[in-house]
Protein backbone atom coordinates (compact mmCIF):
# COMPACT_ATOMS: atom_id res chain seq x y z
CA UNK A 1 0.00 0.00 0.00
CA UNK A 2 2.85 2.38 0.84
CA UNK A 3 4.44 1.64 -2.52
CA UNK A 4 1.22 2.39 -4.41
CA UNK A 5 0.67 5.66 -2.55
CA UNK A 6 4.31 6.65 -3.09
CA UNK A 7 3.95 6.14 -6.84
CA UNK A 8 0.97 8.49 -6.95
CA UNK A 9 -1.99 6.13 -6.89
CA UNK A 10 -5.23 7.77 -5.75
CA UNK A 11 -7.02 4.45 -5.22
CA UNK A 12 -6.37 0.70 -5.35
CA UNK A 13 -8.26 -1.99 -7.23
CA UNK A 14 -9.07 -5.59 -6.48
CA UNK A 15 -6.12 -6.62 -8.63
CA UNK A 16 -3.83 -4.34 -6.61
CA UNK A 17 -4.99 -6.01 -3.40
CA UNK A 18 -4.58 -9.44 -4.99
CA UNK A 19 -0.99 -8.57 -5.90
CA UNK A 20 -0.26 -7.25 -2.40
CA UNK A 21 -1.90 -10.22 -0.68
CA UNK A 22 0.00 -12.72 -2.84
CA UNK A 23 3.27 -10.84 -2.20
CA UNK A 24 2.70 -10.92 1.57
CA UNK A 25 2.05 -14.68 1.49
CA UNK A 26 4.78 -15.44 -1.04
CA UNK A 27 1.90 -16.90 -3.03
CA UNK A 28 0.69 -16.48 -6.61
CA UNK A 29 -1.92 -14.06 -7.93
CA UNK A 30 -3.79 -15.87 -10.68
CA UNK A 31 -4.14 -14.02 -13.97
CA UNK A 32 -7.61 -15.52 -14.30
CA UNK A 33 -9.59 -16.70 -11.24
CA UNK A 34 -10.11 -20.44 -10.85
CA UNK A 35 -13.75 -20.47 -9.82
CA UNK A 36 -13.57 -17.82 -7.13
CA UNK A 37 -9.87 -18.33 -6.31
CA UNK A 38 -7.70 -15.25 -6.95
CA UNK A 39 -4.58 -16.07 -4.90
CA UNK A 40 -3.03 -19.47 -4.28
CA UNK A 41 -0.35 -20.84 -1.98
CA UNK A 42 0.29 -24.55 -2.43
CA UNK A 43 -3.15 -26.14 -1.93
CA UNK A 44 -4.69 -23.09 -0.23
CA UNK A 45 -6.63 -20.38 -2.06
CA UNK A 46 -8.24 -17.02 -1.36
CA UNK A 47 -10.75 -14.80 -3.07
CA UNK A 48 -9.34 -11.28 -2.61
CA UNK A 49 -11.86 -8.45 -2.16
CA UNK A 50 -11.44 -4.78 -1.32
CA UNK A 51 -14.13 -2.19 -0.57
CA UNK A 52 -14.02 1.52 0.24
CA UNK A 53 -15.57 3.10 3.36
CA UNK A 54 -15.37 6.62 4.73
CA UNK A 55 -14.34 5.24 8.13
CA UNK A 56 -13.25 1.59 7.90
CA UNK A 57 -12.85 1.29 11.70
CA UNK A 58 -16.58 1.92 12.20
CA UNK A 59 -17.79 -0.45 9.48
CA UNK A 60 -20.09 -3.19 10.77
CA UNK A 61 -21.00 -4.71 7.40
CA UNK A 62 -19.62 -4.44 3.88
CA UNK A 63 -20.93 -5.40 0.47
CA UNK A 64 -18.58 -7.51 -1.60
CA UNK A 65 -18.99 -7.35 -5.37
CA UNK A 66 -18.61 -11.03 -6.23
CA UNK A 67 -18.73 -11.25 -10.00
CA UNK A 68 -21.48 -11.48 -12.55
CA UNK A 69 -24.10 -14.20 -12.33
CA UNK A 70 -26.27 -14.30 -15.46
CA UNK A 71 -29.36 -16.53 -15.11
CA UNK A 72 -30.24 -15.65 -18.70
CA UNK A 73 -27.02 -17.18 -20.03
CA UNK A 74 -26.93 -20.12 -17.60
CA UNK A 75 -30.64 -20.89 -17.09
CA UNK A 76 -32.45 -19.17 -19.95
CA UNK A 77 -34.28 -16.74 -17.63
CA UNK A 78 -35.01 -13.82 -19.94
CA UNK A 79 -37.28 -11.88 -17.54
CA UNK A 80 -35.65 -11.92 -14.09
CA UNK A 81 -38.68 -10.23 -12.47
CA UNK A 82 -41.23 -12.76 -13.68
CA UNK A 83 -40.34 -15.15 -10.83
CA UNK A 84 -37.86 -13.49 -8.48
CA UNK A 85 -37.51 -16.59 -6.28
CA UNK A 86 -36.54 -18.67 -9.31
CA UNK A 87 -34.09 -16.00 -10.45
CA UNK A 88 -32.51 -15.67 -7.00
CA UNK A 89 -32.12 -19.43 -6.75
CA UNK A 90 -30.43 -19.48 -10.17
CA UNK A 91 -28.04 -16.69 -9.12
CA UNK A 92 -27.00 -18.62 -6.01
CA UNK A 93 -26.57 -21.82 -8.03
CA UNK A 94 -24.17 -20.02 -10.37
CA UNK A 95 -22.19 -18.75 -7.38
CA UNK A 96 -22.17 -22.21 -5.80
CA UNK A 97 -20.74 -23.73 -8.96
CA UNK A 98 -17.85 -21.27 -8.86
CA UNK A 99 -17.21 -22.27 -5.26
CA UNK A 100 -17.30 -25.94 -6.32
CA UNK A 101 -14.64 -25.33 -8.98
CA UNK A 102 -12.31 -23.71 -6.44
CA UNK A 103 -12.93 -26.35 -3.77
CA UNK A 104 -12.24 -29.11 -6.29
CA UNK A 105 -8.76 -27.68 -6.85
CA UNK A 106 -7.72 -26.58 -3.35
CA UNK A 107 -7.75 -28.05 0.14
CA UNK A 108 -9.26 -24.87 1.60
CA UNK A 109 -10.79 -21.74 0.07
CA UNK A 110 -11.25 -18.51 2.01
CA UNK A 111 -12.03 -14.86 1.29
CA UNK A 112 -9.58 -12.12 2.25
CA UNK A 113 -11.28 -8.74 2.64
CA UNK A 114 -9.55 -5.35 2.83
CA UNK A 115 -11.61 -2.28 3.73
CA UNK A 116 -9.80 0.89 2.69
CA UNK A 117 -10.44 4.54 3.50
CA UNK A 118 -10.79 7.26 0.87
CA UNK A 119 -7.28 8.56 1.65
CA UNK A 120 -5.77 5.02 1.67
CA UNK A 121 -4.37 5.51 5.16
CA UNK A 122 -6.84 3.47 7.27
CA UNK A 123 -7.52 -0.24 6.73
CA UNK A 124 -9.42 -3.19 8.14
CA UNK A 125 -8.32 -6.68 7.11
CA UNK A 126 -10.06 -9.97 7.84
CA UNK A 127 -10.74 -13.40 6.40
CA UNK A 128 -13.77 -15.62 6.29
CA UNK A 129 -14.51 -19.13 5.13
CA UNK A 130 -15.88 -19.42 1.64
CA UNK A 131 -18.82 -21.75 1.21
CA UNK A 132 -21.83 -22.68 -0.85
CA UNK A 133 -25.23 -21.24 0.02
CA UNK A 134 -28.29 -23.45 0.45
CA UNK A 135 -30.81 -21.84 -1.86
CA UNK A 136 -33.81 -22.85 0.26
CA UNK A 137 -32.51 -20.70 3.15
CA UNK A 138 -33.30 -17.42 1.38
CA UNK A 139 -36.30 -15.51 0.08
CA UNK A 140 -36.00 -13.02 -2.74
CA UNK A 141 -37.83 -9.76 -3.43
CA UNK A 142 -37.38 -6.66 -5.59
CA UNK A 143 -36.40 -3.27 -4.20
CA UNK A 144 -37.37 0.16 -5.52
CA UNK A 145 -34.42 0.15 -7.93
CA UNK A 146 -35.49 -3.13 -9.51
CA UNK A 147 -32.64 -5.07 -7.90
CA UNK A 148 -33.24 -8.47 -6.31
CA UNK A 149 -32.56 -8.77 -2.58
CA UNK A 150 -31.91 -12.15 -0.94
CA UNK A 151 -32.95 -12.32 2.73
CA UNK A 152 -32.14 -15.03 5.26
CA UNK A 153 -35.28 -16.86 6.36
CA UNK A 154 -33.70 -17.47 9.77
CA UNK A 155 -32.46 -13.99 10.67
CA UNK A 156 -34.49 -11.76 8.35
CA UNK A 157 -31.27 -9.97 7.40
CA UNK A 158 -30.45 -9.08 3.77
CA UNK A 159 -27.59 -11.27 2.54
CA UNK A 160 -27.37 -10.68 -1.21
CA UNK A 161 -28.08 -8.11 -3.89
CA UNK A 162 -28.35 -8.98 -7.56
CA UNK A 163 -28.63 -6.31 -10.24
CA UNK A 164 -30.46 -7.35 -13.42
CA UNK A 165 -28.62 -4.66 -15.36
CA UNK A 166 -25.12 -6.13 -15.65
CA UNK A 167 -25.95 -9.24 -13.56
CA UNK A 168 -23.72 -8.03 -10.71
CA UNK A 169 -23.87 -10.22 -7.60
CA UNK A 170 -23.07 -8.70 -4.20
CA UNK A 171 -22.65 -10.53 -0.88
CA UNK A 172 -23.38 -8.67 2.39
CA UNK A 173 -20.70 -9.54 4.96
CA UNK A 174 -20.35 -8.70 8.67
CA UNK A 175 -17.04 -7.27 9.88
CA UNK A 176 -15.78 -9.34 12.86
CA UNK A 177 -14.40 -7.78 16.01
CA UNK A 178 -11.23 -9.81 15.43
CA UNK A 179 -10.47 -7.94 12.19
CA UNK A 180 -7.05 -6.30 12.01
CA UNK A 181 -7.34 -2.51 12.05
CA UNK A 182 -4.33 -0.39 11.14
CA UNK A 183 -3.26 3.00 9.84
CA UNK A 184 -0.40 4.11 7.62
CA UNK A 185 1.69 7.23 7.81
CA UNK A 186 1.34 8.90 4.42
CA UNK A 187 4.56 8.47 2.46
CA UNK A 188 5.90 11.19 0.17
CA UNK A 189 4.67 10.99 -3.40
CA UNK A 190 7.22 10.73 -6.17
CA UNK A 191 6.48 12.99 -9.12
CA UNK A 192 6.60 12.01 -12.78
CA UNK A 193 9.60 14.26 -13.50
CA UNK A 194 11.70 12.50 -10.84
CA UNK A 195 10.76 9.08 -12.18
CA UNK A 196 11.77 10.00 -15.72
CA UNK A 197 15.01 11.53 -14.48
CA UNK A 198 15.90 8.39 -12.49
CA UNK A 199 15.24 6.30 -15.58
CA UNK A 200 17.47 8.55 -17.70
CA UNK A 201 14.53 8.90 -20.05
CA UNK A 202 15.32 10.14 -23.53
CA UNK A 203 12.92 11.04 -26.31
CA UNK A 204 14.78 8.57 -28.55
CA UNK A 205 12.85 5.85 -26.65
CA UNK A 206 9.78 6.88 -28.66
CA UNK A 207 9.47 5.75 -32.27
CA UNK A 208 6.61 6.59 -34.62
CA UNK A 209 5.33 4.14 -37.22
Amino acid sequence: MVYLIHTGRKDISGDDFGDAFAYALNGHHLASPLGIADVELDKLAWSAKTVKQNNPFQAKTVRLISGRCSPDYSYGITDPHEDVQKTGTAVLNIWNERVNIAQDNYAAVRTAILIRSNDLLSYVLFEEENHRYRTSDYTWSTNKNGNLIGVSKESGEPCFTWQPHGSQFTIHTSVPESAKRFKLKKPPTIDAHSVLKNLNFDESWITFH
Side-chain angles (χ1 to χ4, degrees):
M1 301 303 106
V2 170
Y3 162 75
L4 292 173
I5 298 169
H6 174 64
T7 54
R9 293 291 292 276
K10 299 295 190 296
D11 200 2
I12 61 173
S13 66
D15 280 341
D16 292 326
F17 175 48
D19 286 342
F21 191 73
Y23 179 81
L25 295 176
N26 198 27
H28 176 60
H29 186 193
L30 301 173
S32 178
L34 184 58
I36 58 169
D38 297 311
V39 175
E40 63 179 10
L41 175 64
D42 299 326
K43 295 303 293 182
L44 306 177
W46 291 262
S47 174
K49 301 293 182 184
T50 181
V51 294
K52 184 186 289 187
Q53 295 274 332
N54 289 333
N55 190 335
F57 294 173
Q58 293 182 357
K60 301 299 182 183
T61 61
V62 290
R63 297 186 177 189
L64 306 179
I65 297 175
S66 301
R68 302 189 184 279
C69 298
S70 176
D72 182 6
Y73 177 80
S74 300
Y75 288 88
I77 298 175
T78 56
D79 182 358
H81 294 106
E82 182 178 1
D83 186 338
V84 295
Q85 190 64 36
K86 180 180 178 181
T87 301
T89 296
V91 167
L92 288 184
N93 280 333
I94 295 168
W95 167 261
N96 287 341
E97 182 55 32
R98 291 178 182 161
V99 174
N100 288 343
I101 292 171
Q103 291 181 344
D104 283 346
N105 286 273
Y106 299 99
V109 182
R110 297 178 64 79
T111 300
I113 299 152
L114 181 73
I115 310 174
R116 66 194 192 280
S117 61
N118 293 326
D119 61 6
L120 300 183
L121 298 180
S122 298
Y123 297 90
V124 175
L125 177 66
F126 64 99
E127 287 186 26
E128 63 180 15
E129 183 181 356
N130 218 305
H131 57 271
R132 301 174 76 260
Y133 295 104
R134 188 164 56 188
T135 59
S136 59
D137 288 347
Y138 306 94
T139 58
W140 292 82
S141 60
T142 306
N143 67 10
K144 63 181 181 180
N145 296 320
N147 299 328
L148 272 63
I149 306 298
V151 175
S152 167
K153 291 180 180 178
E154 181 178 355
S155 68
E157 294 295 322
C159 299
F160 316 107
T161 300
W162 182 77
Q163 296 174 280
H165 179 68
S167 300
Q168 183 172 284
F169 179 55
T170 301
I171 299 175
H172 304 201
T173 298
S174 298
V175 180
E177 290 296 326
S178 59
K180 302 299 182 184
R181 295 166 172 83
F182 60 96
K183 286 188 175 183
L184 297 180
K185 178 181 178 181
K186 186 174 183 178
T189 302
I190 190 169
D191 61 273
H193 177 75
S194 298
V195 172
L196 296 175
K197 182 178 180 181
N198 291 338
L199 289 172
N200 295 317
F201 172 75
D202 187 272
E203 289 188 0
S204 64
W205 291 13
I206 303 170
T207 58
F208 294 92
H209 300 272

